Amino acid sequence: MTRKKIAVGATIIFILIFTIFSLVFSVDTNQSELLENASDIESFDFSKNIGYIGVEAFEAYPQKMYTPDDFKGESAKNLSPVSVNGNKATKICTYRILLPLPVGKVFSIYENSTSNFQKIWVDGELMIQSGSANSVKNNSFAQEPRCNFASFTVKNEQTEIVVQRNDITRLTKESFSGLYVGTSSMLSGLTNLMFFSNTLPIGAVIAMMLIFFATYIFFTRYRRFLWFACTCGALTASELFSPPQIFAMLYPDTGWQFRMRFDSVAGFLFLFFVLLYLDKMFENAMGKITKFTVFILSGGSAVLCVVFPFDTYLKLLALSPYILSFCGTIIIFSILISVTKWYFTEKHLLKSEQMLILIGGVVFGILAFLDSIVYINYGDTNILEAGVLIFVSANAIALTVNFMRTENELKESRKRELEIIREKNNLTELSKMKADFMANVGHELKTPLTVMGSYAGLTIKQIQKNAVTAETVQNLDIIQQEAVRLGLLVEQLSASACDRNNEIIMGTVNVRELFSRTEKFCTPVCSKNHNTILVNFPEENLFVKGNDDALF
């Protein structure tokens, strides 16, 4: 698979995942209609649709903590409501509205926000109560973020809803933003869908964490899988303890201070593991200074969030956004510097998986920034959850692409290794053949040289004794024959060295003459050691097909 195909396929998958997540996170707005003023409410049928009554439609009484009794009798005439006009920063306020609902039918209200203290009455009956009212001087945080849901039977043609809130100790500007109103069946379905949209990121991230941790168990050499699984684990913890605080819904008895500390620790650990993961994916792009700085700030802050007294922890919590932003900026600049260095010095372009990580990181950073702005000014949103899913999905695809690329490279490496082993075996075999060949050649050359030496010795002795006979001439003839034979062997050896094809010429060989020559050839060698060679052969000639030079 080429690099271009991998990049195109990964991009298509990334776009599909982004589209699916966008549809999931828009579920609440698609299932309800925003009502911003009295005319919208008068013309709306709550028995057929779900209405989200914005805070602008309520009567607002800033800095007042009224109850339904305060709106009865002559004293109610002295109360002066104000219009919110989109300003949701009122910390202490009472909100009131009258809704035209069908008498006798069962309706429900749903409100989801983090509050120090909240009470909601429907027709004078207290339906929802959470937290406790705090004085202005109290420095504690919101005690319980809750998803508030209540059902009621309509008794009057105009249903009165009164909301009393005290959020003076909240650090953000979040306050009451509105109510969902509808029939119990429809509103229950909507809240389930909204809960699903809130838990989907957690489920997806947990699935990614388990998948890549299991992958790391089977492929322990890929440490990047472990760091990404740890990153997903930190994200999961942060999402569980962030609004709407699913952990608090599952385990309401846990202390809110514990949950706040754990959320902070998860955020710092996320940064810690992200550094380790990106360092592996970008081939040790993080320098020693970057690693040391981020490790000290993130790891140290996580430890301090656990050991500090709560009052001191709150001061550290106020600094945590700056610490996280600073560390994130260092990581981004380290990656950009390394990428620039690769391009200008080594002409090394980013791989497709590295591009995916950068895109996912940039989208996550932008959405996280937008979420913080919206949260500070308006309250909880799903923007960060979308960013988390995009970040996790992009990196999961990048890890898969990187794994495929690495495995393909390993396959090619193994293939080359097998080829090298085969070549090595061939060379070993050739070396053995060469050694055998040289041994055979040595033997073939030694035989005629021995014969020539023996006959030359006999001839020298005969000449020294002046006993030159016909045998002397015969000895010289044998020496000449062996010299010719030695020359033929040398020529054949040269031909083999030059890789020339030597064809053996087959002919008729007289076996009687062959054995006679062999007797004469071996007699000097045998007599030298006082041995005798005897050849007994029938009188008639015997002929065979062969090469005379090769046989003798």
Side-chain angles (χ1 to χ4, degrees), residues 85-229:
N85 294 326
N87 181 12
K88 303 177 184 179
T90 305
K91 294 289 187 176
I92 299 177
C93 190
T94 301
Y95 302 90
R96 179 176 179 267
I97 194 170
L98 298 175
L99 299 179
L101 301 176
V103 178
K105 288 192 174 183
V106 179
F107 283 84
S108 297
I109 57 175
Y110 171 75
E111 191 272 332
N112 176 20
S113 67
T114 303
S115 173
N116 292 91
F117 168 76
Q118 177 172 265
K119 287 183 178 181
I120 300 179
W121 290 267
V122 178
D123 284 337
E125 183 180 355
L126 182 62
M127 306 296 296
I128 296 172
Q129 179 176 357
S130 61
S132 57
N134 298 294
S135 63
V136 177
K137 294 182 180 180
N138 192 337
N139 291 324
S140 63
F141 273 38
Q143 290 186 4
E144 297 296 340
R146 299 178 184 273
C147 293
N148 299 305
F149 186 94
S151 299
F152 60 94
T153 301
V154 179
K155 300 177 181 178
N156 305 309
E157 293 183 356
Q158 294 288 326
T159 301
E160 180 190 52
I161 298 178
V162 177
V163 180
Q164 185 186 93
R165 288 177 66 100
N166 182 340
D167 296 323
I168 193 64
T169 59
R170 296 285 296 162
L171 290 184
T172 67
K173 296 180 181 179
E174 177 196 2
S175 186
F176 180 69
S177 56
L179 278 177
Y180 288 95
V181 179
T183 61
S184 294
S185 59
M186 289 191 299
L187 197 55
S188 296
L190 175 62
T191 54
N192 290 334
L193 286 174
M194 293 174 66
F195 182 79
F196 170 73
S197 69
N198 287 323
T199 55
L200 176 64
I202 298 175
V205 175
I206 289 176
M208 294 296 180
M209 177 185 68
L210 296 177
I211 289 171
F212 284 99
F213 184 75
T215 306
Y216 169 72
I217 293 176
F218 287 100
F219 302 95
T220 54
R221 64 178 178 273
Y222 297 123
R223 193 66 62 86
R224 59 182 70 92
F225 290 148
L226 174 62
W227 300 138
F228 183 67

Side-chain angles (χ1 to χ4, degrees), residues 470-484:
E471 185 181 358
T472 305
V473 177
Q474 188 179 4
N475 291 343
L476 291 175
D477 185 53
I478 292 174
I479 291 173
Q480 184 181 14
Q481 291 178 9
E482 292 303 315
V484 173

